[in-house]
Amino acid sequence: MQTKILFNEGDGLNAMRELVAWAEELHLCYAWATSRGGRAPHWKALDIDKVQRAVIGVHFAQTEPKVLQALADADVLRVVADARGVYHPKVMIGVRGDHLRALVGSSNFTAGGFPAGAGNVEVNVLLEGERVDEPLATLLTFVDGMWGDDRTFEPSQEWLDDYEEAYANRPPHPVVPPPPGTEDHEPTL
């Protein structure tokens, strides 16, 4: 099994692009997902036709409704909206026969999570190996478990419409004042 640590700006996005291009099927578990109106590089790199399962969180109404709608239209979406705690994984698994690649780390499925000039600092691990390799088998079991977990549900169109309204009305992110002498730098979310 191979392991690669990704922490340089753009490494996560490049690894994600390669994983998507290589895979025959994809499985996603993300706390939040956005597409910047379908324009973000990470979203453009995702081949929805390859996605078999996507378990996406909507806590704090941070996931973009367009992403949920696209995944729901592909009939591959389950949502976590449970108040028992924040759903916070960041996992993408690509499958090609008995071979797996998994991207795991701090990146949400957002433009900030897969920065190419976005400014976020992220650390991810790319795992590559066989379906029977323990870390990869465990991650696939995790996705299986989340797909069937009682905290997840397949959203109806009515629920998606209600969520879109909640997303539009969510409070703005608080802005923390910059440290003295750095006023020229804008915070990036």
Side-chain angles (χ1 to χ4, degrees), residues 112-128:
F114 285 96
N120 281 16
V121 176
E122 305 286 351
V123 176
N124 294 287
V125 177
L126 179 65
L127 304 171
E128 217 175 311

Side-chain angles (χ1 to χ4, degrees), residues 115-179:
N120 281 16
V121 176
E122 305 286 351
V123 176
N124 294 287
V125 177
L126 179 65
L127 304 171
E128 217 175 311
E130 303 297 316
R131 186 181 289 267
V132 296
D133 291 335
E134 183 56 34
L136 291 166
T138 300
L139 284 170
L140 203 51
T141 299
F142 171 77
V143 174
D144 292 341
M146 289 314 309
W147 185 258
D149 192 275
D150 67 351
R151 294 175 63 172
T152 70
F153 64 96
E154 184 178 339
S156 66
Q157 190 57 54
E158 180 182 5
W159 186 91
L160 289 166
D161 293 342
D162 289 346
Y163 177 78
E164 187 168 3
E165 186 176 325
Y167 179 83
N169 294 318
R170 72 192 188 284
H173 292 292
V175 176
V176 177

